[in-house]
Amino acid sequence: MGFKAVRGDVIHAVSKDELRIHPDSYIVSDGGSIIGIFREIPESFGGIEMIDHEGCLVMPGFTDLHTHGPQYANLGLGLDMELLSWLEARTFPEEMRFADMDYADRIYRLFVRDMVREGTLNAVVFGTVFTESTIHLMEILESSGIRAYAGKVNMDRNTVKGMTEDTDRSLAATEELIRRFEGSDRVRPILTPRFIPTCSDHLLEGLGRLAKRYGTPVQSHLNETLSEIEWVKELYPDSGSYAGIYGSFGLFGQTPTIMAHCIHNSEGELRMMKSENFFAAHCPDSNSNLASGIMPLRKFLDLGIKVGIGSDISGGDTLSIRQCMVSAIKCSKLKHAEADRKLLPVTLTEVFYLATKGGGEFFGKTGSFEEGFELDCIVVDDRELHPAGLPGVEERLEKYIYCGTWKNIIARYVRGNPVDPEKAMETRA
Amino acid sequence: MGFKAVRGDVIHAVSKDELRIHPDSYIVSDGGSIIGIFREIPESFGGIEMIDHEGCLVMPGFTDLHTHGPQYANLGLGLDMELLSWLEARTFPEEMRFADMDYADRIYRLFVRDMVREGTLNAVVFGTVFTESTIHLMEILESSGIRAYAGKVNMDRNTVKGMTEDTDRSLAATEELIRRFEGSDRVRPILTPRFIPTCSDHLLEGLGRLAKRYGTPVQSHLNETLSEIEWVKELYPDSGSYAGIYGSFGLFGQTPTIMAHCIHNSEGELRMMKSENFFAAHCPDSNSNLASGIMPLRKFLDLGIKVGIGSDISGGDTLSIRQCMVSAIKCSKLKHAEADRKLLPVTLTEVFYLATKGGGEFFGKTGSFEEGFELDCIVVDDRELHPAGLPGVEERLEKYIYCGTWKNIIARYVRGNPVDPEKAMETRA
């Protein structure tokens, strides 16, 4: 791999409080990772491969830290319900269809294409209980060129017929899937117990063992709604906390762990979350749609808990992390205004950080343009958003986040290689 | 005018609790108003002019009950601020520019075009203090083919240099504008005191007199933020309520009145709002962006207060009333989850009603397809939203509201006449 440079109006966040802006500059990489950002390309790089996007915004691609591929056809449907009734009436019946490989192929391709269109370059995805179609989802993700973790869902109780797994078979299939993707690089497996109510102790124990044996990361749901939390309490009357149940099975921070939602947390749970392998996936649109409440994001930031943004479709109504960023800001303002004046609203810089470097940390060195990071970026042609003239780069970022669409994204790169959303639609020969 | 029929999958709301759905049907009008909806065109209408949108959704166009044309260039900018600082830093400086007719022409044309693109067929618009450019805004609205009320803003204190009006001149200009549009039909004037803090008693008295003399309706802002309410209390320490101040000047229900926001209301104010000429403009995106809080929409509906939806750009970040409907639902759910469990979330049917017939009532018989209503509608080609196959009409409405874009709208009609968004961009010869 040779040296490569991307030219444009460069903007990225290196921390939740610091945007870095480089008007008309060059991000230079050695083909693998970034060397630096330069106003002019140093002469020593003569003959470097140049990707010229002069006049466009160049920013890190987005990380979607929590989403459900098989719910894509349900996007924007059935949203007058709360979580538990919505799962039963809408979600489980739809996920059942993913036993059918033709249907799975059709929906997963659209899901991946549309996610990549929206500028997501790193995604953590729930599949279904069906192993074969989950593997197919991973293949489509792989061929799309982005980075992803994807998981076969495990559930062996309190679900519907046809999706209630035999515990041992669920574990065996999960292990098989882990082994199959062992050497893989961009698309990797993640353990995916749906949530405590649908997993027996035996299943959770087995998943904890797999996490330990293979070092596999974990994703699940935590403290989303009050009725779900009540249910968990009924199932584990002696447990100190919802998070503690995952923890007791080796599924909460022992390996890198993502828990979606984290709305209604005890102080003890927040302390558990500070353990270094924990990531909260904040999914504001889903939390609004299902009337679950607003995660106290400011508290998480103040405590230094790792947070990323999740679209959580189809609890969420959009695959766009750009749109979810706007929702995260709005939700933090409404939390402040309606529930707790002490929790100050989050800023654009803060959520931009969360949507790029913050969530990206789950994948490694992606989501910022610092030295040593991978050359992952999206290119935004925002001229049509400014018919009255271009403002500064920071204002252009804000305008794009609030008013842009996926059509403003004219190019995407992972490790300096172009990523084409339409790739996901190509059927293998 | 001859008889005219529009064919498609027809859906409209006749009350907040009742959707009416007519798959593949014909809305028949006598050229002026609607006669009925038919599965097949009765033979007696032989030779009727047919507008065929088979396979598309046909629904009422949207009413935007509160928006600010001169803030359009600021859309999606400066949203890390609260109302009063945002007014000072962002809004007033931008509105100042509308003394320049060239600038006003450019921005107002884009504003009107983009609003019409989004399917808004009735709009209630704030201009600026500048009379000439406000008249120009009204001309552009007129030429676009939609219905609108637009107002020259009045303010004579507590604002910035260059926008502080001489009271008598402000009143004279307002009266001149009313007279100029006296005979007009689609685009009419509305009295527009910005809000209590920027209007002297003398100005408010004068506007009350104009309202009475000409029967002119009124628009303003009410109970948006706590700091604004504090300010009003300081200005009128002896007043019982914010709403009462408007009322004491003849500007609260004496003629048809729209008050935007209405977030923090006393019980007494809610009682005042039940008076028959009052409309609340609910602007959920603006209220979120400026951290103002969430209007208790459920309470308004239960009390039978008239409500419509407002985009309130650029406090709001979108001109799309479709998007504002989604935000209204989400906000009602968050109010329920975070502040008051007794206030139940609103449903899609409820906000669809508010965005069509509810707000439309301010204009007369628009916003539904009942007999005697005007033939105002938008046509939505939603096939691309359903790659896995078309569901029923009600689900198609939900999907379009949550996931559609303005590009799904392929036609717009007011009184059966096609409305072309690009008309707004045409400069007169």
Side-chain angles (χ1 to χ4, degrees):
Chain A
M1 286 185 288
F3 290 87
K4 204 175 250 188
V6 178
R7 177 188 190 179
D9 297 312
V10 175
I11 186 163
H12 62 134
V14 297
S15 75
K16 68 184 176 59
D17 304 311
E18 193 188 346
L19 275 184
R20 288 202 188 145
I21 296 166
H22 306 263
D24 196 12
S25 298
Y26 301 83
I27 312 171
V28 174
S29 83
D30 63 11
S33 45
I34 291 169
I35 295 169
I37 302 175
F38 303 92
R39 285 278 168 155
E40 280 176 34
I41 295 198
E43 278 186 25
S44 53
F45 291 107
I48 190 171
E49 183 191 342
M50 172 75 73
I51 304 170
D52 196 339
H53 292 293
E54 191 189 353
C56 292
L57 290 172
V58 177
M59 65 183 78
F62 303 123
T63 290
D64 188 340
L65 212 53
H66 179 73
T67 192
H68 292 262
Q71 296 174 18
Y72 190 48
N74 265 357
L75 196 74
L77 291 176
L79 291 176
D80 281 348
M81 297 178 206
E82 278 199 15
L83 174 68
L84 298 179
S85 40
W86 172 81
L87 279 174
E88 210 170 292
R90 277 281 165 185
T91 307
F92 290 158
E94 178 64 21
E95 289 192 13
M96 282 285 284
R97 305 185 69 175
F98 286 74
D100 172 351
M101 284 297 287
D102 287 340
Y103 188 75
D105 178 67
R106 192 148 117 241
I107 303 302
Y108 280 148
R109 286 184 191 281
L110 290 168
F111 163 71
V112 174
R113 179 195 66 181
D114 292 353
M115 182 165 65
V116 179
R117 278 182 173 175
E118 295 285 1
T120 295
L121 301 183
N122 305 305
V124 189
V125 188
F126 270 59
T128 60
V129 293
F130 307 111
T131 313
E132 198 188 348
S133 60
T134 304
I135 289 171
H136 188 52
L137 166 63
M138 294 173 80
E139 290 165 345
I140 297 168
L141 285 162
E142 176 71 40
S143 77
S144 78
I146 70 167
R147 269 189 217 84
Y149 285 93
K152 183 203 112 49
V153 170
N154 305 102
M155 43 181 187
D156 66 348
R157 64 168 176 174
N158 292 327
T159 173
V160 293
K161 250 195 186 168
M163 290 213 295
T164 309
E165 297 181 283
D166 171 81
T167 310
D168 291 328
R169 264 190 287 197
S170 175
L171 290 168
T174 305
E175 187 161 10
E176 182 200 320
L177 190 150
I178 293 173
R179 286 204 171 139
R180 179 167 181 148
F181 286 86
E182 228 170 353
S184 72
D185 171 26
R186 276 194 294 96
V187 177
R188 285 176 279 182
I190 184 165
L191 294 170
T192 307
R194 185 167 213 121
F195 68 150
I196 294 290
T198 59
C199 301
S200 70
D201 285 10
H202 184 44
L203 181 57
L204 294 168
E205 269 163 28
L207 293 172
R209 270 197 308 276
L210 291 176
K212 196 168 178 187
R213 182 174 315 152
Y214 296 96
T216 316
V218 176
Q219 65 176 342
S220 195
H221 299 92
L222 180 68
N223 289 331
E224 183 173 359
T225 72
L226 297 174
S227 48
E228 162 214 7
I229 293 169
E230 274 309 302
W231 191 10
V232 170
K233 267 192 197 142
E234 279 166 31
L235 294 167
Y236 294 86
D238 300 328
S239 154
S241 75
Y242 194 161
I245 302 167
Y246 288 113
S248 67
F249 292 108
L251 297 167
F252 198 91
Q254 288 87 350
T255 57
T257 301
I258 297 169
M259 288 285 158
H261 310 310
C262 305
I263 300 171
H264 311 279
N265 320 287
S266 68
E267 293 300 318
E269 285 174 320
L270 290 172
R271 275 194 301 276
M272 281 188 75
M273 291 177 197
K274 288 180 70 175
S275 93
E276 94 190 86
N277 288 314
F278 178 87
F279 284 74
H282 177 37
C283 309
D285 286 303
S286 174
N287 301 159
S288 302
N289 284 329
L290 299 172
S292 308
I294 303 173
M295 182 218 218
L297 179 52
R298 170 61 59 210
K299 206 165 184 177
F300 281 68
L301 297 182
D302 287 350
L303 288 169
I305 297 170
K306 289 174 188 166
V307 181
I309 305 288
S311 67
D312 191 28
I313 64 142
S314 65
D317 51 295
T318 176
L319 270 172
S320 161
I321 292 299
R322 183 193 55 67
Q323 195 61 42
C324 294
M325 288 168 62
V326 174
S327 298
I329 298 173
K330 287 177 174 170
C331 280
S332 78
K333 288 171 174 173
L334 295 176
K335 186 90 178 172
H336 169 74
E338 291 286 330
D340 189 346
R341 286 263 153 198
K342 288 194 302 294
L343 296 176
L344 294 181
V346 299
T347 64
L348 186 82
T349 298
E350 286 173 326
V351 297
F352 181 56
Y353 168 78
L354 297 180
T356 54
K357 191 178 174 188
E361 197 187 328
F362 194 80
F363 289 82
K365 292 201 167 291
T366 178
S368 129
F369 301 138
E370 290 156 87
E371 197 185 326
F373 275 62
E374 305 204 60
L375 183 51
D376 302 337
C377 64
I378 61 174
V379 179
V380 172
D381 182 344
D382 61 335
R383 282 171 295 188
E384 65 150 22
L385 299 177
H386 300 280
L390 277 192
V393 176
E394 184 172 348
E395 294 211 322
R396 286 169 60 196
L397 175 71
E398 189 184 7
K399 184 98 169 182
Y400 161 65
I401 298 299
Y402 277 95
C403 304
T405 77
W406 66 268
K407 293 201 174 166
N408 295 114
I409 306 178
I410 57 164
R412 301 146 186 88
Y413 302 90
V414 169
R415 294 175 180 160
N417 301 311
V419 169
D420 175 3
E422 300 309 319
K423 260 285 206 200
M425 302 304 285
E426 284 171 18
T427 312
R428 279 166 306 169
Chain B
M1 289 185 288
F3 290 87
K4 205 175 249 188
V6 178
R7 177 186 189 181
D9 296 313
V10 175
I11 187 163
H12 62 134
V14 298
S15 76
K16 70 184 175 59
D17 305 311
E18 191 187 349
L19 275 184
R20 289 201 187 147
I21 296 165
H22 306 263
D24 196 12
S25 297
Y26 301 83
I27 312 172
V28 175
S29 83
D30 62 13
S33 46
I34 290 170
I35 295 170
I37 302 173
F38 303 92
R39 286 278 168 155
E40 280 175 35
I41 295 199
E43 278 187 25
S44 54
F45 291 107
I48 190 170
E49 182 190 342
M50 172 75 72
I51 303 169
D52 196 341
H53 291 294
E54 191 188 353
C56 292
L57 290 174
V58 177
M59 66 183 78
F62 303 124
T63 290
D64 188 340
L65 212 53
H66 180 72
T67 193
H68 292 262
Q71 297 175 16
Y72 190 49
N74 265 356
L75 196 74
L77 290 177
L79 292 175
D80 281 348
M81 296 178 205
E82 279 199 15
L83 173 68
L84 298 179
S85 39
W86 172 84
L87 279 175
E88 209 169 294
R90 278 279 164 187
T91 307
F92 290 157
E94 178 64 20
E95 290 192 12
M96 281 286 283
R97 304 184 71 175
F98 286 75
D100 172 351
M101 284 297 288
D102 286 340
Y103 188 75
D105 179 67
R106 191 147 119 242
I107 302 302
Y108 279 148
R109 286 184 190 281
L110 290 168
F111 164 71
V112 174
R113 179 196 66 182
D114 293 354
M115 182 166 66
V116 178
R117 278 183 174 175
E118 294 287 0
T120 294
L121 301 185
N122 305 305
V124 188
V125 188
F126 270 60
T128 60
V129 294
F130 306 111
T131 312
E132 197 188 350
S133 61
T134 303
I135 289 172
H136 189 51
L137 166 63
M138 294 174 81
E139 290 166 344
I140 297 168
L141 285 163
E142 176 72 40
S143 78
S144 78
I146 69 167
R147 269 191 216 86
Y149 284 93
K152 182 203 113 48
V153 170
N154 305 102
M155 42 184 188
D156 66 348
R157 63 169 177 174
N158 292 324
T159 173
V160 293
K161 250 196 184 165
M163 290 214 296
T164 309
E165 297 181 284
D166 171 83
T167 309
D168 291 328
R169 263 190 290 198
S170 176
L171 290 168
T174 305
E175 185 162 12
E176 181 200 318
L177 191 150
I178 293 173
R179 287 205 171 137
R180 180 169 179 145
F181 286 87
E182 226 171 354
S184 72
D185 171 28
R186 277 194 293 97
V187 176
R188 283 177 281 182
I190 184 165
L191 295 170
T192 308
R194 184 166 213 119
F195 67 150
I196 294 291
T198 60
C199 301
S200 70
D201 285 10
H202 183 46
L203 181 56
L204 293 168
E205 270 164 27
L207 292 173
R209 270 197 308 275
L210 290 177
K212 195 168 178 188
R213 182 173 319 150
Y214 296 97
T216 315
V218 176
Q219 65 176 343
S220 195
H221 299 92
L222 179 68
N223 288 332
E224 183 173 1
T225 73
L226 297 175
S227 48
E228 164 213 5
I229 293 169
E230 274 310 301
W231 192 10
V232 170
K233 266 191 196 142
E234 279 165 32
L235 293 169
Y236 294 86
D238 301 328
S239 155
S241 76
Y242 195 160
I245 302 167
Y246 288 113
S248 67
F249 292 109
L251 298 167
F252 198 90
Q254 288 86 348
T255 56
T257 301
I258 298 169
M259 288 285 157
H261 311 309
C262 305
I263 300 172
H264 311 281
N265 320 288
S266 67
E267 293 300 318
E269 285 174 319
L270 290 172
R271 274 193 302 275
M272 280 187 75
M273 291 176 196
K274 288 180 70 174
S275 95
E276 94 189 89
N277 286 316
F278 178 86
F279 284 75
H282 177 37
C283 310
D285 286 302
S286 174
N287 301 159
S288 302
N289 285 329
L290 299 172
S292 310
I294 303 173
M295 181 218 219
L297 179 52
R298 170 60 60 209
K299 207 166 182 177
F300 281 68
L301 297 182
D302 287 351
L303 288 170
I305 297 170
K306 289 175 189 166
V307 182
I309 305 288
S311 66
D312 192 26
I313 66 143
S314 66
D317 51 295
T318 177
L319 269 173
S320 160
I321 293 297
R322 182 193 56 67
Q323 195 62 42
C324 294
M325 288 168 62
V326 173
S327 298
I329 298 173
K330 286 177 174 170
C331 280
S332 78
K333 288 171 175 173
L334 295 176
K335 186 88 178 173
H336 169 74
E338 290 287 330
D340 189 346
R341 286 264 154 198
K342 289 195 302 292
L343 295 177
L344 294 182
V346 300
T347 64
L348 185 81
T349 298
E350 286 172 326
V351 296
F352 181 56
Y353 168 78
L354 297 180
T356 53
K357 191 178 173 188
E361 198 187 329
F362 194 79
F363 288 82
K365 291 202 166 289
T366 178
S368 128
F369 301 138
E370 292 156 86
E371 197 185 325
F373 275 62
E374 304 206 61
L375 183 52
D376 301 338
C377 63
I378 60 174
V379 179
V380 172
D381 182 344
D382 61 337
R383 282 169 296 187
E384 65 150 24
L385 300 176
H386 300 279
L390 277 192
V393 175
E394 186 172 349
E395 294 210 323
R396 287 168 60 195
L397 174 71
E398 189 183 8
K399 184 98 170 180
Y400 161 66
I401 299 298
Y402 277 96
C403 304
T405 77
W406 66 268
K407 294 203 172 162
N408 296 114
I409 306 178
I410 57 163
R412 302 147 185 86
Y413 302 90
V414 168
R415 295 178 179 160
N417 300 313
V419 169
D420 175 3
E422 300 309 319
K423 261 288 208 196
M425 302 305 284
E426 285 171 18
T427 312
R428 279 165 306 169

